[in-house]
Amino acid sequence: MSFSSKPPPGIERSGYWRWINRLIFGRNSSYKRILVVDDAELTVDCIEEEIKKNYPDFHIEKAYDGEEALRKIGTNLPDLLITGIYMPVMSGLQL
């Protein structure tokens, strides 16, 4: 699954987070360990806050570049990876 900051066709921007919420965290979701990766600390913190607010039992790991994310993935594979695309050291696409 892949997401960008631009909503897909037919989804208005105001409903984008609700759409992601239903798609990823629906009633039958098995995602419990999430790794959030971006070089912008504020972005990572906002995503973490939004997930924890709605799903307090989820475990959120954070990384601030692709290499740090790879180290974390190597020690404990997450159920879901949310990553930025353009980052220094290693892009989200390379990850």
Side-chain angles (χ1 to χ4, degrees):
M1 227 180 287
S2 172
F3 301 102
S4 71
S5 60
K6 181 180 176 185
I11 304 290
E12 291 188 30
R13 186 152 188 83
S14 62
Y16 186 54
W17 279 101
R18 286 191 304 275
W19 176 75
I20 289 177
N21 186 46
R22 283 194 312 270
L23 188 64
I24 297 175
F25 307 114
R27 255 186 270 174
N28 299 321
S29 175
S30 62
Y31 297 124
K32 296 294 180 196
R33 297 185 54 74
I34 300 172
L35 176 59
V36 181
V37 186
D38 199 283
D39 59 320
E41 188 174 337
L42 180 61
T43 300
V44 173
D45 291 343
C46 287
I47 292 171
E48 177 190 33
E49 182 180 318
E50 190 65 28
I51 294 170
K52 284 191 177 253
K53 180 171 58 174
N54 294 295
Y55 304 94
D57 59 327
F58 284 22
H59 178 74
I60 310 297
E61 289 279 334
K62 301 187 283 186
Y64 300 100
D65 64 56
E67 286 185 349
E68 181 183 1
L70 278 180
R71 286 192 300 275
K72 290 185 180 220
I73 289 169
T75 59
N76 200 348
L77 189 64
D79 296 312
L80 177 67
L81 174 66
I82 300 173
T83 183
I85 300 298
Y86 302 106
M87 297 183 291
V89 183
M90 178 185 295
S91 76
L93 295 174
Q94 292 170 313
L95 179 60

